[in-house]
Amino acid sequence: MSETLTLSAETRDRAGKGASRALRREGRTPAVIYGGNEEPVAIHLEEKALAKALGTGHFFNSVVELTVGGQTVRTLPKDVAFHPVTDRPQHADFLRVSKDSVVHVNVPVAFINEEKAPGLKKGGILNVVRHELEMICAPDSIPDDIIVDVSGYEVGDSIHISAVTLPAGVKPAITDRDFTIATIVAPSSLKSEEGDTTKEG
């Protein structure tokens, strides 16, 4: 389960490019909180604190509690715009969430037991088709990652979502097909000898 991150913010009185530039010069990042059947609120937060939260590696699948004017707003980060040269965060969007909200989040995939996959032991290569999976769950149930066990897989096998044990209360956003997460492919030297160019999707 991803931890809850806490950031303090202040409301923005002025909008527009000039006001945003002035905030950035002061080490602040303009942002907006929207959703939850309420009016959007323009805020700004400390750039260093935002950069530190972004550095956790699971910012986008963590609940972020924003403290604004003495009130705490539970949110989910939806987007951060970065400066094309400096990579500094330029703007952030936060979606309000409540305890009973259901959210769509992209969760990273983690593979385990690679030493127990005969196909990999023979020199096969784990070809990751999806590094992230879009999941639907409650904000408090967002997993840090989706664990995919590759035990027993051979060269030529595909690992589909149906083979993955998902955490309780977490389901895939794609429901109309048993999509592929990864395949175990033969090394290119072996493939060229066999003339095998087939790929499963």
Side-chain angles (χ1 to χ4, degrees), residues 64-139:
V64 175
E65 290 187 345
L66 293 169
T67 311
V68 187
Q71 286 188 312
T72 300
V73 185
R74 284 167 56 81
T75 69
L76 195 65
K78 293 310 281 182
D79 190 35
V80 176
F82 294 95
H83 190 281
V85 178
T86 63
D87 253 2
R88 287 173 57 185
Q90 297 286 286
H91 190 276
D93 291 346
F94 295 92
L95 175 69
R96 284 186 195 93
V97 293
S98 60
K99 287 277 185 195
D100 52 3
S101 296
V102 174
V103 294
H104 285 242
V105 285
N106 288 323
V107 181
V109 177
F111 295 91
I112 60 166
N113 293 327
E114 291 183 34
E115 72 285 354
K116 294 179 183 173
L120 296 178
K121 276 187 173 173
K122 293 173 190 162
I125 296 159
L126 184 64
N127 173 43
V128 180
V129 178
R130 293 174 185 265
H131 291 275
E132 288 186 329
L133 303 177
E134 188 182 357
M135 292 288 149
I136 302 171
C137 57

Side-chain angles (χ1 to χ4, degrees), residues 12-187:
R12 273 191 286 156
D13 302 326
R14 295 189 303 135
K17 284 185 177 176
S20 293
R21 273 199 296 269
L23 282 169
R24 289 187 198 108
R25 278 197 298 273
E26 293 165 15
R28 310 289 294 179
T29 301
V32 68
I33 305 171
Y34 67 95
N37 298 320
E38 292 180 49
E39 286 293 307
V41 177
I43 60 166
H44 59 91
L45 49 158
E46 188 189 1
E47 184 190 318
K48 276 184 189 166
L50 176 61
K52 187 179 177 187
L54 282 160
T56 61
H58 50 80
F59 179 71
F60 286 102
N61 55 353
S62 296
V63 171
V64 175
E65 290 187 345
L66 293 169
T67 311
V68 187
Q71 286 188 312
T72 300
V73 185
R74 284 167 56 81
T75 69
L76 195 65
K78 293 310 281 182
D79 190 35
V80 176
F82 294 95
H83 190 281
V85 178
T86 63
D87 253 2
R88 287 173 57 185
Q90 297 286 286
H91 190 276
D93 291 346
F94 295 92
L95 175 69
R96 284 186 195 93
V97 293
S98 60
K99 287 277 185 195
D100 52 3
S101 296
V102 174
V103 294
H104 285 242
V105 285
N106 288 323
V107 181
V109 177
F111 295 91
I112 60 166
N113 293 327
E114 291 183 34
E115 72 285 354
K116 294 179 183 173
L120 296 178
K121 276 187 173 173
K122 293 173 190 162
I125 296 159
L126 184 64
N127 173 43
V128 180
V129 178
R130 293 174 185 265
H131 291 275
E132 288 186 329
L133 303 177
E134 188 182 357
M135 292 288 149
I136 302 171
C137 57
D140 293 324
S141 303
I142 300 170
D144 282 333
D145 44 35
I146 299 296
I147 303 294
V148 178
D149 189 341
V150 298
S151 301
Y153 284 97
E154 289 280 2
V155 169
D157 286 349
S158 295
I159 305 164
H160 297 96
I161 187 65
S162 59
V164 178
T165 305
L166 296 173
V170 178
K171 58 184 184 183
I174 298 171
T175 55
D176 60 345
R177 63 188 187 278
D178 190 14
F179 59 87
T180 302
I181 298 170
T183 57
I184 296 184
V185 295

